[in-house]
Amino acid sequence: MFTSTAIHEPIFLTTRFGNPLMIIDNYRFNKRSDSKGPQINWVCVKKDRQCRATVTTFDNTILKYRNYHNH
């Protein structure tokens, strides 16, 4: 049986180095280091390649998803 997540449903994981990681629609996002408290800002892992996609969550719920991937 195949199960899939709904579109834009975040999956929260931890990298092998212990850093927070979020996956949405097969895109990976890293937590911004200046994010504190329940509101977290995330950036695409391809940010160094000029990807402008960002996500803002509040208590693991998506508030804003700027889906501007260039890859």
Side-chain angles (χ1 to χ4, degrees), residues 1 5 26 31 35 51 53 62 67:
M1 183 171 147
T5 58
N26 293 324
K31 179 182 169 184
S35 293
C51 185
I62 295 175
N67 195 10

Side-chain angles (χ1 to χ4, degrees), residues 29-66:
F29 294 86
N30 290 326
K31 179 182 169 184
R32 284 189 45 161
S33 60
D34 60 350
S35 293
K36 305 286 187 229
Q39 183 168 321
I40 306 294
N41 295 313
W42 303 81
V43 294
C44 181
V45 298
K46 306 282 185 181
K47 184 178 190 306
D48 61 335
R49 296 184 187 167
Q50 308 306 316
C51 185
R52 296 177 38 194
T54 61
V55 180
T56 302
T57 60
F58 188 87
D59 286 336
N60 294 345
T61 302
I62 295 175
L63 294 179
K64 185 182 351 176
Y65 182 18
R66 292 183 48 186

Side-chain angles (χ1 to χ4, degrees), residues 2-11 23-26:
F2 177 77
T3 58
S4 64
T5 58
I7 192 163
H8 304 314
E9 185 174 326
I11 299 170
I23 301 174
I24 301 176
D25 302 335
N26 293 324

